[in-house]
Amino acid sequence: MADIFLSYKREDRAMAETISGALERKGWSVWWDTRLAAGDLFDDVIEQELDAAKCVVVLWSKLSVKSRWVRTEAGDGLERGILVPIKIDDVKPPLAFRRVHTADLTHPELGGPEMETAFERLVVDITRIVSPAEPPPRPRVSRPQNT
């Protein structure tokens, strides 16, 4: 089971992949629907992964705000107090989520320090919900013994 469940609209896959990769580089495990295997009953697997996640990250976009699946997954995170919403388009989140502070990553074209700062704030927000990610173990370097 993953630390983070990532909810997004399929058309936003490129951004979901970028965010998933960045969170994994921080040491967290991230589950999103690319992990479904052929033959899986997607609603069963999604429910199992959502229930087991320590944090639900939702990507609000022009399309995801209209998605029943994304709203349902975000609603579960909100009810459990583990929701971290992110705007990736300049949109209003659905009504039930407007009182929740939402990270703003709507200007990826800016890049540089502004985007890095916004992402680092997001990492702090996730860390408040999920214990800090363990850094990957360092490779052991074998040293020749003096004989």
Side-chain angles (χ1 to χ4, degrees):
M1 304 309 155
D3 296 318
I4 298 169
F5 181 98
L6 182 60
S7 179
Y8 71 105
K9 186 74 171 132
R10 182 156 312 271
E11 290 83 353
D12 300 319
R13 182 181 172 138
M15 181 60 98
E17 188 168 13
T18 297
I19 290 172
S20 175
L23 294 173
E24 287 176 340
R25 284 190 295 281
K26 291 291 183 182
W28 287 303
S29 57
V30 179
W31 190 92
W32 55 313
D33 64 0
T34 60
R35 307 277 193 255
L36 287 166
D40 280 348
L41 297 174
F42 64 89
D43 54 342
D44 289 344
V45 175
I46 288 172
E47 185 174 3
Q48 178 182 12
E49 293 295 335
L50 186 58
D51 288 347
K54 299 172 189 168
C55 178
V56 175
V57 171
V58 63
L59 305 183
W60 290 130
S61 70
K62 293 172 185 165
L63 297 171
S64 71
V65 296
K66 298 174 185 173
S67 167
R68 287 185 188 252
W69 275 105
V70 175
R71 287 176 180 225
T72 299
E73 293 162 355
D76 185 80
L78 182 62
E79 286 175 15
R80 294 172 49 204
I82 61 170
L83 178 64
V84 176
I86 303 169
K87 280 191 341 180
I88 61 170
D89 285 333
D90 190 18
V91 295
K92 260 197 235 186
L95 184 59
F97 305 98
R98 289 187 194 159
R99 293 184 9 211
V100 179
H101 179 70
T102 301
D104 188 351
L105 297 181
T106 57
H107 302 287
E109 71 280 357
L110 293 177
E114 295 91 357
M115 191 52 78
E116 288 173 22
T117 300
F119 182 75
E120 288 306 318
R121 281 195 305 261
L122 177 63
V123 167
V124 169
D125 296 342
I126 292 171
T127 301
R128 290 184 324 183
I129 297 169
V130 182
S131 48
E134 294 290 325
R138 289 181 144 182
R140 297 188 84 180
V141 177
S142 60
R143 296 192 176 135
Q145 295 182 358
N146 293 334
T147 56

